[in-house]
Amino acid sequence: MTQLGQSITRIDARAKVTGAALFPGDVNIPGQLWMKVLFARRPHARIKRLDVSKAQAAPGVVYVFTARDVPVNEFGLGSKDAPVLNNDEIRWVGEKVALVVADTEQQAEHARDLIEIEYEDLPPLIDPHEAMKPGAPQVHPHYAGNVMKHIPIRKGDLETGFAQADVIIESEYHTPAQEHAYLQPEAGVAYIDDEGRVTVVVGGQWTHEDQEQIAHALGLPLDKVRVIYPAIGGAFGGREDMSVQIILALAAYKLNRPVKIIWSREESIIGHHKRHPMWLKSKWGATRDGKIVAAHVEIIADAGPYMYTSPKVLGNAAFGATGPYEIPNVKVDAYAVTTNNIVTGAFRGFGGPQTHFQAESQMNKLAEKLGIDPVELRLKNVLREGSLLSTQTPLPGGIVSLPQVVQKCADEFGWAKRSAVGGRRSSVGFGFACALKNIGFSFGYQENAWAKVELHGGAEIEKVIVYHAAAEVGQGAHTALAQMAANTLGVSLDKIEMRVSDTNTSESSGSVSASRMTYIGGNAIKGACERALKKWSDEERPAIAEYKYLAPPTTNFDPVTGKSKPNVAYGYVAEAVEVKVDTETGQVRVVRVTCADDVGKAINPRLIEGQIEGAIAQAQGWTIQENFQSKDGKVLTPTMSTYLIPGILDVPERVDSVILEYADSDGPWGARGMAEMPFIPLAPAIIAAVHDATGVWFDEFPLTPWRVLEGLKKNKLDAD
Ligand code: MOS
């Protein structure tokens, strides 16, 4: 019996389409109070006076929390450098100043507006280039010169490399911020459970990390805090850092009452981190016959004032700077720089999309200059088995399928025949790009995941209970894990009962991020099932087994050369796109995308197609429609009516998903991770297609109509 490779209906589908599934905002506890947050809403200021007495005396108000109420007033994933509540120096608009808890939401909101606060506004530091200049004011006392983190990578010798180059492309790129825009804004409820634990029901990506950060801020032992995830309306990295987790726990703990919060969309956009905007200076050289010989890339990432997940984003950015290519001479410097802009952090691809945009645009420009087809140029340079990464180590996992992925994508798209459909300077254009995506956080972090399996029955297994902490954020993790359990045990899927996402019943599975759960979590499930089966065959009833999977170790970047074995595994992806550009209105329409992904083993092909189509819609939004705007640190697009994500009429008319299965030697049944991959090459593929259609290279996006028209106008002036 096999449950693998089948597009079975996801196990949470019925509850979600019938409305039976409870999301955090749907969970109500009898006697619950309501919370409202007072955000600073100014990028840089000192609080001179804070008076909550009128708010405290307002109708229905139970308590107003300020910084003095937080036992250990700090949080953060990369570093606990951010205050939970800030009554001192405000460093970004989403800083939380006070929390009002009242009988009703309206009362809490009313009282919040009675809080008296006197600010001394300070000049905000907005441009990371300014922030890096000697003598610039410090955004955060911890980070000398406002550099939160610097990652250098050195391989070979740059001068020698450029001396061998016949052509050189130099460019400066900028990539914009992006809002996660998940379906469900932040929400949750906290209460004290029967055993006296502060329990938080919330949406997140890593139950045990939330638990740790809550316990730390409340000054409680871990076992006094419990985190439960119900259904979650999307995450994309946006729930990786704390939003409402700690403040809910704080209020429930201090008041000994259930407390609930639901953020509005506007509060969500102001209150959680964004994708890092990046500035990239890039110089690549190639020989006449198309061998890339040198790459020099400098990356400046706007981190906002606090660390959040910036180190992981910067690591992937530095790693992605050379794209999926073997380049003998490399110099990369990546900087995360503090500013008073909105805080930035994880977002699908973790910095990979930003730096691949640079790498792939350089490749497409080189192809043009060399007169070599973009696909052919890639096939000459992509990483293969035994190739050395920029970090001077080979790729793990056996086969490196980039040549196959690139070729298959081109074939399925009909790349070679494309000029028959449209020509240069017409309004139709074609573009190509590819990428690699690491599976897992890694860079020295020991990847791990835990699972427990109980087999119940007599002669036959009648019921299986799987305990696991993986967050189901809409990606289908619970379904894929259940399929893997059923397959290992040789039982049908309806015998599997999943008990998930509760720190009280599971140990940590790590985060659902970095495309890691199918691979790392799948190996844990497989291991636990195999151990339980062994006990079952030894006549144990019920047969119960736990297993903690530890992935092969990795190493962090060497601080001088960047040398490292950075990741456990990789997935490989290529995309070809066709666009139509209206040269009168500047509108760019993505007509069709072919996306080829090596996923190692497709556990559930339909879920993979969902990830591909979702990633393409999201990446198209980042490239064309979405336009996160801020001025002097203030967000100008805090609503869905000003921050436009693609609608059904905007997404490509056609997406062809091509799933390839070159097994990874350590993945469960060969599976690689894949959720972020299809996001990564889309921006450079669209930019190349727009160039093909118009003759203009856009080194900045989104491709809003006015940017496109300006580019066309400038191009025409240059030509005249
Ligand atoms: Mo994501 S950026 O892998 O949560």
Side-chain angles (χ1 to χ4, degrees):
M1 171 178 335
T2 179
Q3 307 286 348
L4 298 184
Q6 292 177 20
S7 292
I8 62 146
T9 302
R10 46 189 301 163
I11 58 177
D12 52 347
R14 182 175 294 271
K16 281 181 175 162
V17 298
T18 58
L22 295 182
F23 292 79
D26 304 324
V27 179
N28 293 300
I29 309 285
Q32 73 195 10
L33 303 168
W34 285 82
M35 176 189 280
K36 271 283 173 189
V37 177
L38 175 68
F39 291 102
R41 292 177 184 275
R42 54 192 70 213
H44 194 201
R46 188 171 299 285
I47 296 184
K48 309 282 282 182
R49 191 177 70 89
L50 175 64
D51 183 352
V52 301
S53 55
K54 286 202 181 103
Q56 184 66 66
V61 171
V62 177
Y63 193 67
V64 181
F65 290 85
T66 59
R68 67 184 145 77
D69 297 303
V70 191
V72 182
N73 193 10
E74 56 182 34
F75 77 98
L77 217 161
S79 161
K80 290 191 171 66
D81 63 352
V84 177
L85 296 179
N86 189 339
N87 294 168
D88 184 17
E89 184 182 340
I90 300 300
R91 297 192 176 90
W92 69 291
V93 289
E95 202 103 60
K96 301 179 189 82
V97 175
L99 314 169
V100 181
V101 180
D103 290 332
T104 71
E105 194 176 19
Q106 289 73 16
Q107 287 169 332
E109 189 168 357
H110 173 250
R112 180 197 59 196
D113 298 338
L114 297 176
I115 294 174
E116 292 175 5
I117 183 159
E118 207 180 296
Y119 291 103
E120 177 195 348
D121 281 312
L122 302 168
L125 201 46
I126 296 308
D127 179 351
H129 298 87
E130 293 297 319
M132 288 176 84
K133 284 187 182 156
Q138 286 274 132
V139 172
H140 194 294
H142 288 188
Y143 307 117
N146 293 314
V147 174
M148 182 185 281
K149 196 171 172 64
H150 167 217
I151 299 175
I153 296 178
R154 305 284 184 268
K155 181 189 177 195
D157 179 65
L158 212 54
E159 250 177 69
T160 316
F162 281 120
Q164 293 162 5
D166 298 307
V167 297
I168 286 174
I169 296 285
E170 287 189 76
S171 316
E172 290 191 24
Y173 299 98
H174 174 60
T175 63
Q178 188 180 22
E179 154 63 26
H180 302 82
Y182 21 64
L183 277 173
Q184 169 215 13
E186 289 76 356
V189 59
Y191 57 94
I192 310 300
D193 79 356
D194 297 342
E195 292 173 48
R197 279 176 299 230
V198 188
T199 304
V200 185
V201 181
V202 70
Q205 295 181 230
W206 185 354
T207 45
H208 290 70
E209 171 64 25
D210 290 5
Q211 180 194 32
E212 193 279 323
Q213 291 209 43
I214 292 166
H216 179 84
L218 268 51
L220 289 174
L222 267 187
D223 63 5
K224 286 285 171 210
V225 175
R226 179 179 178 187
V227 173
I228 299 170
Y229 292 166
I232 300 168
F236 313 115
R239 299 190 203 273
E240 195 124 26
D241 290 285
M242 297 300 104
S243 55
V244 299
Q245 290 89 330
I246 297 173
I247 56 176
L248 279 172
L250 171 71
Y253 175 61
K254 289 266 175 167
L255 303 176
N256 197 16
R257 297 268 306 268
V259 179
K260 179 163 180 173
I261 195 168
I262 300 179
W263 277 2
S264 67
R265 179 62 67 179
E266 194 263 354
E267 289 171 317
S268 173
I269 293 182
I270 297 283
H272 80 256
H273 66 269
K274 302 292 162 271
R275 181 186 292 283
H276 289 70
M278 291 191 194
W279 287 258
L280 304 116
K281 261 176 134 164
S282 177
K283 178 180 174 186
W284 287 37
T287 60
R288 201 164 292 116
D289 58 357
K291 185 78 196 109
I292 313 298
V293 284
H296 183 193
V297 187
E298 185 187 272
I299 303 156
I300 293 177
D302 183 346
Y306 302 117
M307 193 173 265
Y308 278 54
T309 24
S310 280
K312 293 296 169 195
V313 171
L314 200 72
N316 277 348
F319 179 79
T322 41
Y325 306 110
E326 181 167 36
I327 306 176
N329 304 293
V330 174
K331 183 178 179 193
V332 175
D333 284 287
Y335 300 90
V337 180
T338 50
T339 66
N340 294 113
N341 289 318
I342 196 159
V343 74
T344 52
F347 196 144
R348 203 174 198 160
F350 273 116
Q354 289 95 317
T355 52
H356 269 84
F357 167 64
Q358 165 271 149
E360 290 302 276
S361 293
Q362 290 294 93
M363 285 298 278
N364 285 324
K365 290 177 184 178
L366 279 168
E368 182 188 41
K369 198 158 179 180
L370 289 162
I372 299 178
D373 183 88
V375 170
E376 197 189 322
L377 185 66
R378 285 177 169 82
L379 290 173
K380 284 177 190 280
N381 291 283
V382 285
L383 294 156
R384 292 157 198 267
E385 286 93 71
S387 297
L388 290 187
L389 292 161
S390 61
T391 54
Q392 304 181 50
T393 50
L395 292 133
I399 186 162
V400 178
S401 60
L402 277 160
Q404 292 89 335
V405 169
V406 166
Q407 190 63 56
K408 186 74 176 168
C409 180
D411 292 348
E412 294 287 321
F413 183 81
W415 183 257
K417 290 175 289 184
R418 73 196 183 285
S419 53
V421 187
R424 273 182 67 81
R425 315 284 158 160
S426 76
S427 64
V428 175
F430 300 90
F432 197 94
C434 57
L436 85 169
K437 179 66 190 62
N438 55 314
I439 312 309
F441 277 149
S442 301
F443 297 99
Y445 170 76
Q446 174 60 59
E447 289 288 350
N448 67 86
W450 175 96
K452 184 169 89 175
V453 174
E454 292 179 6
L455 308 180
H456 297 269
E460 287 191 7
I461 299 172
E462 283 153 23
K463 185 166 93 168
V464 178
I465 306 177
V466 175
Y467 296 87
H468 200 271
E472 173 59 66
V473 294
Q475 83 281 45
H478 290 175
T479 303
L481 295 175
Q483 283 179 271
M484 291 192 266
N487 186 72
T488 315
L489 297 168
V491 302
S492 58
L493 205 69
D494 58 9
K495 293 216 165 60
I496 309 269
E497 183 185 323
M498 302 288 278
R499 296 210 185 147
V500 287
S501 302
D502 181 346
T503 56
N504 196 34
T505 55
S506 287
E507 289 179 27
S508 178
S509 299
S511 186
V512 287
S513 60
S515 305
R516 65 185 285 287
M517 198 50 80
T518 302
Y519 186 104
I520 311 283
N523 271 323
I525 292 278
K526 185 164 176 275
C529 288
E530 284 166 356
R531 278 158 185 73
L533 267 187
K534 170 83 176 54
K535 291 186 174 181
W536 182 266
S537 66
D538 293 343
E539 306 292 328
E540 276 187 43
R541 300 290 184 273
I544 302 175
E546 294 183 23
Y547 179 61
K548 185 172 178 179
Y549 172 69
L550 296 176
T554 58
T555 59
N556 203 351
F557 297 107
D558 176 273
V560 177
T561 63
K563 189 171 180 194
S564 55
K565 180 185 178 297
N567 294 293
V568 171
Y570 294 87
Y572 308 105
V573 58
E575 282 171 358
V577 309
E578 176 181 342
V579 303
K580 218 182 261 176
V581 183
D582 186 323
T583 48
E584 298 224 328
T585 64
Q587 249 144 350
V588 176
R589 175 109 189 89
V590 180
V591 178
R592 108 188 136 97
V593 179
T594 298
C595 179
D597 301 73
D598 179 8
V599 303
K601 168 74 187 171
I603 305 297
N604 185 319
R606 190 194 289 139
L607 290 179
I608 289 171
E609 283 168 22
Q611 287 282 19
I612 293 171
E613 290 172 15
I616 285 169
Q618 200 167 39
Q620 187 201 307
W622 186 48
T623 316
I624 301 177
Q625 282 88 11
E626 297 175 29
N627 194 8
F628 191 85
Q629 294 183 74
S630 59
K631 188 167 187 325
D632 300 330
K634 290 195 175 159
V635 177
L636 301 178
T637 50
T639 57
M640 300 302 275
S641 56
T642 49
Y643 184 79
L644 303 180
I645 62 170
I648 192 67
L649 296 174
D650 302 306
V651 296
E653 285 160 31
R654 196 172 138 191
V655 172
D656 293 305
S657 299
V658 183
I659 299 173
L660 301 171
E661 297 180 293
Y662 295 96
D664 179 277
S665 57
D666 296 317
W669 297 274
R672 305 165 186 275
M674 62 74 55
E676 297 165 292
M677 283 201 310
F679 190 106
I680 299 175
L682 195 75
I686 290 176
I687 295 285
V690 170
H691 172 263
D692 191 38
T694 64
V696 185
W697 283 115
F698 288 90
D699 293 341
E700 277 187 58
F701 56 90
L703 296 178
T704 49
W706 47 94
R707 173 168 282 139
V708 172
L709 287 179
E710 208 150 280
L712 294 175
K713 202 160 54 177
K714 188 173 171 299
N715 203 44
K716 191 163 175 299
L717 286 177
D718 290 349
D720 286 349

